[in-house]
Amino acid sequence: MSKKEIKKMTIAIDAMGGDYAPEEIVEGAILSLEEKDFSIILVGEEKKINSLLSKQIFDEKRISVLNATQKIEQDESPAIVVRRKKQSSINICSKLVRDKVADGMISAGPTGAVMTSAILNIGRIKGVKRPALAAFIPTVKNPILLIDIGANVDCKPIYLLQFAIMGKILYKNMLVDVQPKVGLLSIGEESTKGNHLVQESYELISKSIKDFVGNIEGHQILDGKANVIVCDGFTGNVVIKSIEGTVEMLFNQLKDTFLTNTISKMGAYLLKPSLKSLKKKFDYREYGGLQLIGIDGICIKAHGRSKSKAIKNSIRVATKVINSEMILNLKSEIKKYFKETR
Amino acid sequence: MSKKEIKKMTIAIDAMGGDYAPEEIVEGAILSLEEKDFSIILVGEEKKINSLLSKQIFDEKRISVLNATQKIEQDESPAIVVRRKKQSSINICSKLVRDKVADGMISAGPTGAVMTSAILNIGRIKGVKRPALAAFIPTVKNPILLIDIGANVDCKPIYLLQFAIMGKILYKNMLVDVQPKVGLLSIGEESTKGNHLVQESYELISKSIKDFVGNIEGHQILDGKANVIVCDGFTGNVVIKSIEGTVEMLFNQLKDTFLTNTISKMGAYLLKPSLKSLKKKFDYREYGGLQLIGIDGICIKAHGRSKSKAIKNSIRVATKVINSEMILNLKSEIKKYFKETR
């Protein structure tokens, strides 16, 4: 890719989504400018955003602001947001991607609204049955990609096969040095273990996917036997939140343990730097959010509690995925597989 | 209950099940004798067991040995174990419960074989659609009971309602001071969140169960909002193993962190007692195993990696549940509910 083409990259950011919008979103956008070769469109309440921008020093050519006249609430149904609030920041972002004004979008707004807006406005890649939400789970070694984690709560085996295909491509585009192994989340190692969906999916995936390593049990998720782990969106959502909840609970417990007495306080003081680096290893914010995959454009759903650092990471991930030409890869792989298997 | 009646309590223990059988099982049985008022039948290879017993000093009137001539393998299908190996230790244990020779059984053998043997030989409680496997998950406060964690991978809403009823009774019989709140594992707080099964189960459970607190998300499992959390056996199995895997991984990581340098080693030395007590809090072995609930007898599936301490705890739990008259409570509750709801 020539330097000129790279310079054209534009990312649409929903400045109104998430618990700390618009302040932390705007701050994150400015922080991200350290990395070169893209520009940003901040979508939201123009006046508020401009007032926040006016307090900062940055390359003004690289951030533009687009007004959104409607505001969405956390508890509104995704369908209502998308159909009735056409001028909300999420909808404007997804239309910017649809119209090729932006190469990708980022929103920390409600997951359902972001997904519905992106699917309806940007549309699916031809041949993709169901777009999926994919999450990178940090581990000590390579991260694990769990797909789906909530876009599709009731699935068919063919969906899970497509999640496997899409997850593999996403993984390869994010971690170019790894040839990702694919696993199927289940309750035992044998192909006959699991519910009906998983048993049928096992057969389909094992026939179609190279580097399929079979079933992965709950306690094996983080051990790296598989890089991409496929499941229905209900199980994936419960599992990823269970892992996050367990990590958070244990770190809180550690803190309490350290404050037990003077000796433990001294011990904790000595361990502080090592513990800090351990905690950072498991910080979901390092991975910039969830990727909605299977639509004809880049859409990243940042965590609702994203602060500026998480937004900056989301932008970094977006530029990486855009540069990797993942959408082109997805299109050709989906086309190839669904010529072969049907 | 009079002293005389309590003295009659007998527990059948599968001496051949688990990774450390029969040595650790026999050792655990002997250790458990510290607590009074029950006797034990060890079922398995008579010669081996007697030779292990002969090396120890204990009250010989309280442990008897029953020979089992068949041995089962880890990878044999549960159906084969139950139908073809009638003289295996698991089958003899469940028949001892069926014939009221024993008041309860404990096995660390393969989960599928233990379940199938207990369900077929002991039988279901009248009105119970599907017996379930329930697990206590340790937390800093009260443990959480997750039900089902693998007996039923494809469920109907009525099964989940029954899991809620049975889970509540089990919880009350184990932790008499707590009035257990029941939650439904899902992917959002609203009743409309979740897959088809969970959405339909929500309606059914909210109509029938007092102390139903609604949906519980993955990250809320350990926070104690609900004491009993209901789910299908596939999700439950994946979730409980994910939590166990995450705890194990983090403690391993902590250990590595502590060994980074001399200063961190010193810190770890000072923290050792506090960390040890923290680790103990999350040790599944403290809870003695899984309970198979809904059958007409007490059956505890100890962890396959159980050592003597875990077996001793399983025996303690078994005596507690037997004393609590849980089976009688279950029978009357199931009868009451299924008169009321149909």
Side-chain angles (χ1 to χ4, degrees):
Chain A
M1 208 180 276
S2 75
K3 192 111 193 192
K4 206 182 148 212
E5 278 175 289
I6 293 173
K7 273 211 168 162
K8 279 186 196 156
M9 191 194 290
T10 301
I11 296 163
I13 299 176
D14 170 10
M16 310 313 286
D19 299 351
Y20 304 109
E23 291 77 7
E24 293 283 334
I25 314 291
V26 172
E27 173 87 24
I30 293 171
L31 280 176
S32 78
L33 297 180
E34 287 166 17
E35 290 170 47
K36 279 175 192 152
D37 297 328
F38 61 88
S39 59
I40 288 171
I41 304 174
L42 285 170
V43 183
E45 285 182 47
E46 204 172 17
K47 243 176 122 173
K48 239 185 195 168
I49 298 171
N50 277 328
S51 135
L52 289 165
L53 288 173
S54 68
K55 289 173 200 151
Q56 307 244 19
I57 297 165
F58 62 95
D59 181 353
E60 292 184 12
K61 287 193 296 285
R62 292 178 64 198
I63 297 189
S64 52
V65 179
L66 200 59
N67 194 31
T69 52
Q70 286 176 307
K71 221 186 144 176
I72 67 164
E73 310 299 331
Q74 181 65 33
D75 52 355
E76 278 180 310
S77 98
I80 285 179
V81 169
V82 176
R83 290 204 194 101
R84 297 208 196 139
K85 296 202 167 169
K86 296 201 190 298
Q87 291 308 311
S88 62
S89 50
I90 292 180
N91 274 329
I92 294 177
C93 283
S94 58
K95 282 175 195 160
L96 287 172
V97 175
R98 177 194 67 190
D99 299 338
K100 314 278 181 208
V101 177
D103 302 285
M105 68 174 277
I106 294 165
S107 174
T111 311
V114 175
M115 262 174 13
T116 312
S117 174
I119 292 172
L120 290 183
N121 286 330
I122 305 172
R124 282 177 287 163
I125 288 173
K126 204 181 158 186
V128 168
K129 304 263 176 200
R130 291 284 188 283
L133 266 185
F136 281 97
I137 307 177
T139 76
V140 254
K141 291 178 200 161
N142 286 323
I144 307 298
L145 186 72
L146 195 64
I147 178 172
D148 177 31
I149 64 139
N152 309 280
V153 290
D154 288 293
C155 286
K156 295 176 181 174
I158 186 107
Y159 304 171
L160 265 63
L161 170 60
Q162 291 201 338
F163 300 164
I165 296 166
M166 299 193 293
K168 236 180 116 172
I169 294 171
L170 172 58
Y171 201 97
K172 269 201 259 186
N173 280 273
M174 287 288 290
L175 288 101
V176 287
D177 300 329
V178 184
Q179 178 62 29
K181 296 191 196 83
V182 176
L184 179 63
L185 191 59
S186 189
I187 61 170
E189 287 190 6
E190 305 91 330
S191 62
T192 53
K193 288 287 170 76
N195 54 19
H196 287 320
L197 171 69
V198 166
Q199 287 179 37
E200 286 171 32
S201 302
Y202 189 105
E203 223 190 300
L204 199 59
I205 295 174
S206 65
K207 274 193 298 195
S208 316
I209 301 276
K210 222 181 62 175
D211 302 315
F212 176 58
V213 295
N215 286 344
I216 298 290
E217 293 186 69
H219 60 282
Q220 299 170 322
I221 293 173
L222 301 174
D223 75 7
K225 194 181 153 195
N227 308 96
V228 175
I229 300 177
V230 172
C231 57
D232 71 86
F234 181 83
T235 309
N237 187 285
V238 170
V239 161
I240 196 163
K241 287 180 183 165
S242 300
I243 293 175
E244 279 178 11
T246 307
V247 171
E248 202 175 314
M249 182 272 293
L250 272 178
F251 275 113
N252 286 341
Q253 280 309 308
L254 271 178
K255 218 194 247 171
D256 287 354
T257 301
F258 293 167
L259 299 176
T260 322
N261 55 49
T262 319
I263 291 176
S264 64
K265 275 183 200 164
M266 264 172 61
Y269 177 76
L270 297 172
L271 280 169
K272 211 172 176 184
S274 331
L275 283 171
K276 212 171 159 184
S277 85
L278 181 64
K279 207 173 172 184
K280 195 174 140 78
K281 273 186 197 162
F282 297 103
D283 190 348
Y284 60 88
R285 283 167 299 196
E286 295 292 316
Y287 290 89
L290 311 174
Q291 305 219 20
L292 181 60
I293 189 159
I295 57 164
D296 196 2
I298 304 298
C299 174
I300 291 178
K301 155 67 189 132
H303 202 291
R305 283 181 285 164
S306 289
K307 294 205 170 182
S308 60
K309 187 187 154 199
I311 295 298
K312 182 191 157 194
N313 282 334
S314 291
I315 298 170
R316 186 177 42 74
V317 169
T319 60
K320 192 166 180 180
V321 179
I322 293 165
N323 264 330
S324 75
E325 298 186 316
M326 185 181 73
I327 299 291
L328 286 176
N329 297 339
L330 272 175
K331 282 180 178 171
S332 76
E333 280 293 289
I334 286 286
K335 207 170 155 186
K336 195 180 87 189
Y337 270 96
F338 288 86
K339 212 190 287 165
E340 281 169 2
T341 57
R342 282 195 296 197
Chain B
M1 211 181 275
S2 76
K3 193 114 193 188
K4 205 179 150 212
E5 277 173 292
I6 294 172
K7 272 209 167 164
K8 280 184 193 156
M9 191 194 292
T10 301
I11 296 164
I13 299 176
D14 170 12
M16 310 313 284
D19 298 351
Y20 306 108
E23 291 78 4
E24 293 284 335
I25 314 289
V26 172
E27 172 87 23
I30 293 172
L31 280 177
S32 77
L33 297 182
E34 288 166 15
E35 289 170 47
K36 280 173 192 156
D37 298 326
F38 61 89
S39 60
I40 287 172
I41 305 173
L42 285 170
V43 183
E45 285 182 47
E46 204 172 17
K47 241 175 124 176
K48 240 187 195 168
I49 298 170
N50 277 328
S51 133
L52 289 165
L53 288 174
S54 68
K55 291 173 199 151
Q56 307 245 19
I57 297 164
F58 61 95
D59 181 354
E60 292 183 13
K61 287 191 298 285
R62 293 180 63 197
I63 296 189
S64 52
V65 179
L66 200 58
N67 194 32
T69 53
Q70 286 176 309
K71 220 186 143 176
I72 67 164
E73 310 299 332
Q74 183 63 36
D75 51 356
E76 278 181 310
S77 97
I80 286 178
V81 169
V82 177
R83 289 204 194 101
R84 297 207 197 140
K85 296 201 166 170
K86 296 202 189 298
Q87 291 309 311
S88 62
S89 50
I90 291 180
N91 274 327
I92 294 177
C93 283
S94 58
K95 282 174 195 161
L96 287 173
V97 175
R98 177 194 67 190
D99 299 339
K100 315 278 180 206
V101 178
D103 302 285
M105 68 175 277
I106 294 166
S107 174
T111 311
V114 175
M115 262 176 8
T116 312
S117 174
I119 292 172
L120 289 183
N121 286 330
I122 305 172
R124 281 177 288 163
I125 287 174
K126 204 181 159 189
V128 168
K129 304 266 177 197
R130 292 284 187 282
L133 266 185
F136 281 97
I137 307 177
T139 76
V140 253
K141 290 178 202 163
N142 286 324
I144 307 298
L145 186 73
L146 195 64
I147 178 171
D148 175 32
I149 64 140
N152 309 281
V153 290
D154 289 292
C155 287
K156 295 178 182 174
I158 186 103
Y159 303 172
L160 265 63
L161 170 61
Q162 292 200 337
F163 299 165
I165 295 166
M166 298 192 295
K168 237 180 114 172
I169 293 171
L170 172 57
Y171 201 97
K172 270 200 258 187
N173 281 273
M174 286 290 289
L175 288 100
V176 286
D177 299 330
V178 184
Q179 177 63 29
K181 295 190 196 81
V182 176
L184 179 64
L185 191 59
S186 189
I187 62 170
E189 287 191 6
E190 305 89 332
S191 63
T192 53
K193 287 288 171 75
N195 53 20
H196 287 320
L197 171 68
V198 167
Q199 287 180 37
E200 286 171 34
S201 301
Y202 189 104
E203 222 188 302
L204 199 57
I205 295 174
S206 64
K207 273 193 295 194
S208 316
I209 300 277
K210 224 180 64 175
D211 303 314
F212 177 57
V213 295
N215 285 342
I216 298 290
E217 294 187 68
H219 59 283
Q220 299 171 323
I221 294 173
L222 302 174
D223 75 7
K225 194 181 153 195
N227 308 96
V228 175
I229 300 177
V230 172
C231 57
D232 70 87
F234 181 83
T235 310
N237 187 284
V238 171
V239 161
I240 197 164
K241 286 179 182 165
S242 300
I243 293 174
E244 277 178 15
T246 307
V247 170
E248 201 173 316
M249 182 271 292
L250 272 179
F251 275 112
N252 286 341
Q253 280 309 308
L254 271 178
K255 218 193 246 170
D256 287 355
T257 301
F258 293 165
L259 298 175
T260 323
N261 55 49
T262 320
I263 291 176
S264 65
K265 276 184 200 164
M266 265 172 59
Y269 177 76
L270 296 174
L271 280 170
K272 213 173 176 184
S274 330
L275 283 171
K276 213 171 160 186
S277 86
L278 181 65
K279 206 172 172 184
K280 196 174 139 80
K281 274 186 197 162
F282 297 104
D283 191 347
Y284 61 87
R285 285 168 298 197
E286 296 292 317
Y287 289 90
L290 311 175
Q291 305 219 18
L292 181 60
I293 187 159
I295 57 164
D296 197 4
I298 304 298
C299 174
I300 290 178
K301 154 68 188 128
H303 203 289
R305 286 181 284 163
S306 288
K307 293 204 171 182
S308 60
K309 188 188 152 199
I311 296 298
K312 182 191 155 195
N313 282 335
S314 291
I315 298 170
R316 186 178 41 76
V317 168
T319 60
K320 193 167 179 179
V321 179
I322 294 165
N323 265 329
S324 74
E325 299 187 316
M326 185 181 71
I327 300 290
L328 286 177
N329 296 338
L330 272 174
K331 283 181 178 171
S332 75
E333 280 292 289
I334 286 286
K335 208 171 156 186
K336 195 179 87 187
Y337 270 96
F338 288 87
K339 215 191 284 166
E340 280 170 1
T341 58
R342 283 193 294 195

